[in-house]
Amino acid sequence: MSTVSLSRLDREIEELAAISAHPAPAVTRVLFSAEDLRAREWLTARAKDAGFRVRKDPVGNLFVCWEGSEPCLPAVATGSHTDAIPNAGKYDGVVGVLGGLEAMRQLKEAGHVPKRGIELIMFTSEEPTRFGIGCLGSRLMAGTTSPEEAGALRDAEGRSLDELREAAGCRGNLGAVKLSTGAYRAFVELHIEQGPMLEEKQIDIGIVEKIAAPSAFRLLLKGAGGHAGAVLMRERQDAFMAAAEIALLVEKAALESGSSDTVGTVGVVEVRPGAINSIPCDVKLEVDFRDTDREARDRALARIGDGTHALCRRRGVKIEWQVLNQDPPALCDPGLVKMVEAKAVAAGFSTSRMVSRAYHDSLFMARVCPTAMIFIPCFKGYSHRPDEYSSPEAIAKGVEVLKECLKELSLQ
Ligand code: GLV
Ligand code: MN
Ligand code: MN
């Protein structure tokens, strides 16, 4: 039976959810918004109340540190994110951050003396809302994104990452974010599944073996505008009609990729001038495309590319194609996978090995140190929506497994 102090963790999840740009039950906390800054302050205060030291790096990744008795040994780390896309729920990322804090507090209260340090990381901008790229903090930590690439990022209002991070009190060169080799002994992330499998099969703990390969691209389409009454259909270079065909092509390429795991989503469509009696001349599309099978994903992407260029030529629409990211999948460390499984089984929980279809900061931490993920069930698999829900009991089980892993790893 779990020993997690449910009331403390549950109360904190509610408190953090109240720091939102949209009213409950929705949660919206976009990178470096007023809410994100308040959430960071709130988390820092909770960590200090528990007796931990807190530091931040130049991109705003927060580190809650518990020093070990042998401080020269690489620490063991856990963590996730507290930023939330518009109209999201309370649990995505938060369970890993507050659950990680709870696991550290429980170990401390039980008198555990870690040999190597234990660190909780709150990663900057796991969500792509502000700059169009997810996992910004962990990408910089892994060196996957260079300081120059990050420095060139602009949000929809044209504000740069440097301007926003400096206003948020995150100073220093972005190059300093990159972790040195061997900086961590291990990284273990607790997260809600964001899919229905665990709940449907009534499994307590999902043990992630592989994280799907995500990619995203932006298309800027330029046609010719004109009067909706006066320009005949055959004369048109309607940028939105090209966009509509591209969206269907994305769906077809995902459905026919040969892999049942391919998913494609056209999540952003902006049409200009956006007047009912004016032919669309400019369209921005943003497309998210993923698979556990990298080759199948890349074949489907090539098909979308060929089809898009052909249909744009046919329609007389110009196209600019910007790759936002095209990442390989990540494999979790087999030794850590076994450890998570053993801890869950020892606690009497049912388990299943699985893949993560969503991406996480673990995708990039896996490039830096042995990494594993602990999944817990969530209601109907709902996520990125206000009715996202994981029960206190499900969260407590995840925290229990995480705590036992951190305990053992911190003594190795
Ligand atoms: C993370 O939020 C994802 O989109 O997978
Ligand atoms: Mn998310
Ligand atoms: Mn998440």
Side-chain angles (χ1 to χ4, degrees), residues 271-347:
V271 181
R272 294 212 169 76
I276 191 170
N277 54 353
S278 181
I279 300 165
C281 55
D282 284 296
V283 174
K284 177 169 98 172
L285 291 184
E286 286 182 4
V287 184
D288 178 300
F289 208 84
R290 320 178 186 203
D291 204 317
T292 53
D293 176 340
R294 183 184 186 175
E295 283 72 39
R297 179 200 68 182
D298 290 348
R299 273 196 311 275
L301 283 174
R303 182 174 171 193
I304 296 169
D306 292 347
T308 294
H309 285 105
L311 74 88
C312 285
R313 262 196 310 278
R314 170 166 46 81
R315 288 182 173 276
V317 168
K318 291 205 183 75
I319 177 162
E320 183 183 331
W321 185 299
Q322 298 172 351
V323 175
L324 300 175
N325 63 282
Q326 195 159 334
D327 300 298
L331 291 180
C332 291
D333 178 75
L336 284 180
V337 164
K338 281 199 191 116
M339 179 186 287
V340 172
E341 198 163 51
K343 299 299 179 196
V345 169

Side-chain angles (χ1 to χ4, degrees), residues 72-355:
C72 340
L73 291 177
V76 48
T78 186
S80 197
H81 61 101
T82 57
D83 65 326
I85 66 164
N87 245 3
K90 293 179 198 169
Y91 302 91
D92 174 9
V94 166
V95 163
V97 174
L98 296 184
L101 181 62
E102 178 63 22
M104 285 168 69
R105 279 190 303 221
Q106 283 188 30
L107 286 171
K108 198 161 194 269
E109 286 162 1
H112 176 65
V113 180
K115 188 165 123 187
R116 50 177 91 239
I118 303 180
E119 285 190 15
L120 168 71
I121 309 174
M122 193 288 290
F123 294 95
T124 276
S125 195
E126 191 266 358
E127 301 292 6
T129 315
R130 182 138 217 167
F131 287 113
I133 182 148
C135 300
L136 180 59
S138 49
R139 278 176 193 276
L140 280 161
M141 286 167 91
T144 310
T145 293
S146 67
E148 293 71 33
E149 286 166 326
L153 291 172
R154 297 286 178 277
D155 71 5
E157 278 107 52
R159 301 183 70 188
S160 70
L161 172 62
D162 281 344
E163 178 189 341
L164 287 163
R165 74 185 174 95
E166 276 159 26
C170 306
R171 306 222 157 72
N173 195 310
L174 285 177
V177 176
K178 188 170 183 300
L179 295 174
S180 51
T181 317
Y184 288 109
R185 156 69 185 89
F187 177 72
V188 185
E189 180 171 3
L190 171 64
H191 206 284
I192 60 169
E193 181 196 350
Q194 304 181 286
M197 193 275 274
L198 293 174
E199 187 188 62
E200 273 169 19
K201 298 196 170 152
Q202 298 191 313
I203 288 166
D204 300 317
I205 299 291
I207 302 148
V208 176
E209 292 188 288
K210 187 176 182 181
I211 303 171
S215 65
F217 53 95
R218 178 183 295 134
L219 300 181
L220 302 174
L221 304 171
K222 198 163 209 38
H227 195 287
V231 183
L232 289 175
M233 296 311 281
R234 285 186 198 291
E235 309 299 322
R236 294 188 181 199
Q237 291 158 260
D238 184 327
F240 176 70
M241 285 302 151
E245 267 199 74
I246 294 167
L248 292 173
L249 185 58
V250 167
E251 183 185 50
K252 196 168 160 62
L255 284 168
E256 295 173 1
S257 73
S259 156
S260 53
D261 282 338
T262 317
V263 284
T265 307
V266 184
V268 173
V269 183
E270 285 173 17
V271 181
R272 294 212 169 76
I276 191 170
N277 54 353
S278 181
I279 300 165
C281 55
D282 284 296
V283 174
K284 177 169 98 172
L285 291 184
E286 286 182 4
V287 184
D288 178 300
F289 208 84
R290 320 178 186 203
D291 204 317
T292 53
D293 176 340
R294 183 184 186 175
E295 283 72 39
R297 179 200 68 182
D298 290 348
R299 273 196 311 275
L301 283 174
R303 182 174 171 193
I304 296 169
D306 292 347
T308 294
H309 285 105
L311 74 88
C312 285
R313 262 196 310 278
R314 170 166 46 81
R315 288 182 173 276
V317 168
K318 291 205 183 75
I319 177 162
E320 183 183 331
W321 185 299
Q322 298 172 351
V323 175
L324 300 175
N325 63 282
Q326 195 159 334
D327 300 298
L331 291 180
C332 291
D333 178 75
L336 284 180
V337 164
K338 281 199 191 116
M339 179 186 287
V340 172
E341 198 163 51
K343 299 299 179 196
V345 169
F349 304 149
S350 51
T351 64
S352 177
R353 293 194 179 199
M354 59 189 300
V355 297

